């Protein structure tokens, strides 16, 4: 029995797709002959949790005995899944501006924590398309919205995170890396699209800013 078959019998296809939104991208995109390749990885434990939660809700054990089901879940938790997707694009050469050293004084992190430290920041997005395609599109919109909200956070002396990052590429990289910790906290599937909420721990973000000094 495949994971997909088990999820279908458990009525857990939506939960399975939602768990896939937590897949991580090791490294960046790779370009080969104008074809972009992206690799995603996800721990089997996240998939096992989705199936286990569905079983606990009384939706059956997919025709398996309880012990057999538990044994298969335990094995699933030891695995890791990898997928590679690619898309062709026209040959376009983009010339990047020279990397500037930046004004690090303007982006210096204050010793006193701002009032937003300790909060959780949420951002919502909506994407067109069915199933996982719509959810991925919605997640991208939500992450863009999250970045805008982060950029509006005050850093010090009337200076926002976004303004400081614009002056200092180093700080901009810190923000980008910290956003990798944002996690999907809600997924709603509709007839013609999906809505996704991502959540971001601002306490962790503050610690990353302090470490960058």
């Amino acid at each position: 029995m495949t994971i997909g078959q088990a999820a279908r019998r458990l009525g857990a296809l939506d939960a399975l797709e939602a768990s896939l939104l937590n897949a991580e991208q090791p490294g960046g995109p790779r370009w080969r002959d104008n074809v972009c390749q992206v690799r995603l990885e996800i721990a089997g434990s996240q998939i096992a949790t989705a199936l286990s939660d569905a079983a606990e809700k009384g939706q059956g054990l997919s025709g398996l005995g309880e012990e057999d089901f538990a044994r298969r879940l335990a094995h699933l938790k030891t695995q890791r899944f990898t997928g590679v997707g690619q898309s062709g694009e026209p040959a376009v050469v983009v010339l990047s501006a020279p990397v500037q050293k930046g004004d690090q004084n303007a982006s210096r992190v204050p010793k006193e924590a701002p009032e937003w430290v300790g909060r959780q920041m949420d951002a919502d997005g909506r994407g067109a398309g069915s199933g996982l395609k719509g959810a991925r599109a919605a997640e991208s919109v939500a992450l863009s919205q999250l970045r805008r909200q982060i950029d509006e956070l005050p850093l010090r002396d009337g200076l926002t995170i976004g303004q400081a990052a614009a002056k200092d590429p180093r700080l901009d990289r810190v923000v980008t890396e910290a956003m990798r910790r944002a996690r999907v906290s809600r997924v709603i599937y509709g007839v013609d699209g999906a809505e996704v909420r991502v959540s971001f721990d601002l306490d962790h973000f503050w610690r990353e800013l302090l470490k960058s000094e």
Side-chain angles (χ1 to χ4, degrees), residues 26-152:
R30 296 181 179 180
W31 286 91
R32 295 181 178 178
D33 298 327
N34 298 324
V35 174
C36 180
Q37 293 183 339
V38 174
R39 179 179 178 180
L40 295 177
E41 294 183 354
I42 188 170
S45 58
Q46 297 189 51
I47 299 174
T49 297
L51 297 178
S52 178
D53 288 347
E56 289 179 359
K57 292 178 181 178
Q59 300 182 49
L61 295 176
S62 302
L64 300 174
E66 185 173 348
E67 292 185 1
D68 192 16
F69 185 72
R71 177 179 58 80
R72 296 193 185 202
L73 284 182
H75 176 67
L76 180 59
K77 291 178 181 179
T78 66
Q79 296 181 296
R80 191 168 186 84
F81 299 89
T82 301
V84 178
Q86 64 181 34
S87 176
E89 292 289 345
V92 177
V93 177
V94 179
L95 299 180
S96 300
V99 176
Q100 302 295 327
K101 188 174 182 180
D103 184 358
Q104 295 187 359
N105 288 327
S107 62
R108 188 169 299 280
V109 177
K111 294 182 179 180
E112 183 176 352
E115 54 85 21
W116 48 261
V117 174
R119 298 180 186 176
Q120 174 178 290
M121 177 178 284
D122 297 320
D124 298 323
R126 178 173 177 79
S130 60
L132 188 58
K133 179 180 179 181
R136 280 294 185 190
E139 182 184 7
S140 178
V141 174
L143 287 173
S144 296
Q145 175 61 25
L146 180 66
R147 179 59 193 255
R148 286 192 290 270
Q149 292 176 197
I150 292 174
D151 284 345
E152 293 173 358

Side-chain angles (χ1 to χ4, degrees), residues 90-209:
V92 177
V93 177
V94 179
L95 299 180
S96 300
V99 176
Q100 302 295 327
K101 188 174 182 180
D103 184 358
Q104 295 187 359
N105 288 327
S107 62
R108 188 169 299 280
V109 177
K111 294 182 179 180
E112 183 176 352
E115 54 85 21
W116 48 261
V117 174
R119 298 180 186 176
Q120 174 178 290
M121 177 178 284
D122 297 320
D124 298 323
R126 178 173 177 79
S130 60
L132 188 58
K133 179 180 179 181
R136 280 294 185 190
E139 182 184 7
S140 178
V141 174
L143 287 173
S144 296
Q145 175 61 25
L146 180 66
R147 179 59 193 255
R148 286 192 290 270
Q149 292 176 197
I150 292 174
D151 284 345
E152 293 173 358
L153 291 173
L155 181 62
R156 64 174 181 83
D157 301 332
L159 191 71
T160 66
I161 295 288
Q163 291 169 337
K167 296 179 180 180
D168 185 358
R170 176 191 58 83
L171 180 62
D172 184 67
R173 289 192 296 271
V174 171
V175 176
T176 300
E177 286 298 317
M179 282 187 60
R180 293 179 181 271
R181 296 291 295 271
R183 288 291 177 262
V184 174
S185 55
R186 187 182 71 184
V187 181
I188 300 176
Y189 291 96
V191 177
D192 57 352
E195 296 180 7
V196 168
R197 170 169 292 175
V198 294
S199 298
F200 187 60
D201 183 357
L202 291 178
D203 191 50
H204 169 77
F205 178 50
W206 174 247
R207 292 196 298 270
E208 291 299 306
L209 290 177

